[in-house]
Amino acid sequence: MVSSKTDARDDETLETVLSIQELIKEPLTAVPQRYIQQHDQHKPSPFSDEISAYALPTINMKKLIQGEDTEIELQKLNSACRDWGFFQLVEHGVSPAVLKTLRDEVEGFFRLPMEEKMKYKVMPGDVEGYGTVIRSEDQKLDWGDRLFMKINPLAMRKPHLLPQLPSSLRSILELYMEELQRLGMMVVALVGKAVKMEKRDLEVFEDGIQNVRMTYYPPCPEPHLVMGLTAHSDAAGITILNQMNGVNGLQIKKDGLWIPVNVISGAFIVNIGDILEIMSNGAYKSVEHRAIVNSEKERISIAMFFLPRFQSEIGPAISLTNPENPPLFKRIGVEKYVKDYFAHKLEGKSYLEQMKIHHK
Ligand code: OGA
Ligand code: NI
């Protein structure tokens, strides 16, 4: 029965909203109600003078691994993780040619006709695929079109997602993911070293879960009314974000203020996720962040998330806890942790709260 385009639209009404790009094909005079955020979302103003003094620390990967300054750079990494939970990563070794091709291909993907992108749409009950999962009728929607996929372990890859992407996109993604896996594992090890965890505490990341989210944020006629990506902290150990077309929009919450992050061309943003907050027993904290949009430029990003293995258990590293520093978080299996995270509405750090042990 379902054959025409209109019918195809009907069967996805509640579970997913597929595309703002589709929505804005017809010139919009006003932002639809479902995208309008509560009033105070954009306050304090992200552009006040007060916060222009804040700039994200920059960590140089090359200096971290070779030469005379490794110890100094490791100290910098330690303060960046402790005080910010976020840093810019430069000299990371991923080739500019790969980044350029990736950008072209991802841009190309988001420009594909809707019918093409529908092949990857989020299925009912799933979290992977193209589109936004809707959990309630009154949920406010983000101003962004996204594709989310589990990419490691290989057995977790959904046959209709990565393997079915246009072949030129798939090949560059494979290359990029391979380079980022190498980089991500190095970053995890160095962050562990900076916080003085034992190597064995980090073994859970070997052949761990890795996910990718590509997001296309179209320009919005009334950017102050909407949110590109709702404030959240990442569930991951670490996240590596590539703001591939150089457009600003990421903001992180520091000292109660939303601080805009300036894109450094060719750099990645690395951030600590909830799992590393737990493992470091709170020494490093996952930090809330969000993405805003603007009225002129589209913005495109790709985030890669690094989590421990499915069958492993997470909890505060034994090497970091003792009677004076009791564990602040419960231990939990990764499988359950991930399942619960995705069942939960994206809302600041509320999920991590449930993991806390309250000492008197
Ligand atoms: C994310 C994320 C930020 C961005 O995907 O978790 O925080 O700028 N993305 O797209
Ligand atoms: Ni995030």
Side-chain angles (χ1 to χ4, degrees):
M1 252 193 72
V2 182
S3 56
S4 74
K5 264 190 190 162
T6 16
D7 285 342
R9 260 179 183 281
D10 285 339
D11 69 1
E12 66 225 4
T13 36
L14 256 182
E15 288 84 14
T16 51
V17 161
L18 292 149
S19 178
I20 297 165
Q21 281 171 283
E22 267 316 273
L23 183 75
I24 60 180
K25 264 191 181 158
E26 315 282 322
L28 278 183
T29 45
V31 171
Q33 201 58 36
R34 286 206 79 173
Y35 294 87
I36 298 178
Q37 300 280 337
Q38 272 141 16
H39 243 37
D40 56 359
Q41 280 274 352
H42 282 267
K43 288 191 182 118
S45 158
F47 302 109
S48 67
D49 293 342
E50 193 183 357
I51 59 174
S52 59
Y54 286 89
L56 218 56
T58 300
I59 300 294
N60 184 314
M61 190 69 190
K62 229 174 172 174
K63 284 193 187 166
L64 263 178
I65 51 180
Q66 62 186 51
E68 282 152 22
D69 295 335
T70 51
E71 202 42 52
I72 299 174
E73 205 62 19
L74 194 67
Q75 282 318 312
K76 272 179 70 178
L77 178 65
N78 178 39
S79 6
C81 294
R82 193 191 53 211
D83 303 338
W84 286 83
F86 261 88
F87 54 89
Q88 306 262 11
L89 186 66
V90 297
E91 300 262 22
H92 46 62
V94 179
S95 94
V98 169
L99 297 180
K100 167 77 173 70
T101 310
L102 179 72
R103 172 188 170 168
D104 293 345
E105 288 295 332
V106 171
E107 276 180 2
F109 173 80
F110 285 111
R111 294 199 207 301
L112 285 175
M114 201 52 197
E115 302 86 79
E116 285 298 311
K117 289 182 287 197
M118 291 313 274
K119 292 183 189 160
Y120 315 105
K121 74 169 189 213
V122 183
M123 304 293 188
D126 202 355
V127 292
E128 287 177 80
Y130 185 78
T132 297
V133 181
I134 300 181
R135 297 193 167 82
S136 69
E137 294 263 6
D138 56 0
Q139 178 186 340
K140 293 293 177 190
L141 299 178
D142 289 342
W143 196 264
D145 292 344
R146 35 182 109 117
L147 176 66
F148 179 71
M149 300 179 289
K150 298 182 181 153
I151 54 159
N152 200 65
L154 298 184
M156 302 243 300
R157 291 187 180 180
K158 293 265 158 77
H160 73 290
L161 296 177
L162 191 61
Q164 293 297 322
L165 290 177
S167 67
S168 51
L169 170 60
R170 197 179 66 226
S171 8
I172 191 67
L173 266 177
E174 295 275 10
L175 208 62
Y176 180 72
M177 292 180 317
E178 211 174 285
E179 295 220 23
L180 255 73
Q181 276 165 348
R182 201 162 33 233
L183 178 66
M185 286 307 111
M186 279 163 67
V187 172
V188 164
L190 287 159
V191 167
K193 193 173 170 192
V195 76
K196 298 193 163 62
M197 266 187 218
E198 280 174 18
K199 273 210 177 106
R200 110 185 107 97
D201 292 325
L202 295 161
E203 273 167 10
V204 289
F205 284 97
E206 274 161 34
D207 201 25
I209 303 173
Q210 287 148 13
N211 304 326
V212 155
R213 175 155 53 225
M214 304 178 346
T215 314
Y216 179 92
Y217 303 95
C220 177
E222 297 177 282
H224 54 286
L225 294 181
V226 305
M227 197 50 73
L229 177 60
T230 309
H232 65 285
S233 62
D234 296 343
I238 62 157
T239 304
I240 301 182
L241 176 73
N242 172 354
Q243 304 173 86
M244 55 173 65
N245 72 338
V247 176
N248 286 335
L250 179 67
Q251 298 186 330
I252 71 177
K253 201 173 196 176
K254 185 161 171 55
D255 306 334
L257 296 171
W258 284 106
I259 313 288
V261 171
N262 276 320
V263 180
I264 299 180
S265 174
F268 293 136
I269 298 284
V270 177
N271 65 284
I272 303 291
D274 295 346
I275 288 178
L276 258 174
E277 174 163 347
I278 294 172
M279 291 175 73
S280 71
N281 203 29
Y284 294 166
K285 293 192 167 54
S286 67
V287 168
E288 271 183 71
H289 53 284
R290 65 185 192 184
I292 61 164
V293 296
N294 70 77
S295 58
E296 280 143 37
K297 293 187 202 133
E298 61 187 12
R299 178 168 181 269
I300 307 177
S301 73
I302 179 166
M304 187 156 159
F305 306 95
F306 295 82
L307 293 87
R309 270 192 303 282
F310 220 54
Q311 301 78 4
S312 62
E313 217 186 58
I314 46 170
I318 308 289
S319 51
L320 295 180
T321 53
N322 54 45
E324 280 84 64
N325 284 307
L328 300 176
F329 300 94
K330 300 171 205 163
R331 296 192 71 79
I332 184 174
V334 169
E335 185 167 356
K336 177 166 171 33
Y337 180 85
V338 171
K339 211 169 133 234
D340 290 356
Y341 179 87
F342 281 117
H344 197 265
K345 180 165 150 252
L346 204 58
E347 191 174 24
K349 290 183 69 171
S350 54
Y351 179 52
L352 189 63
E353 277 305 310
Q354 304 169 21
M355 299 288 299
K356 283 196 173 144
I357 298 174
H358 298 280
H359 295 278
K360 276 185 266 164

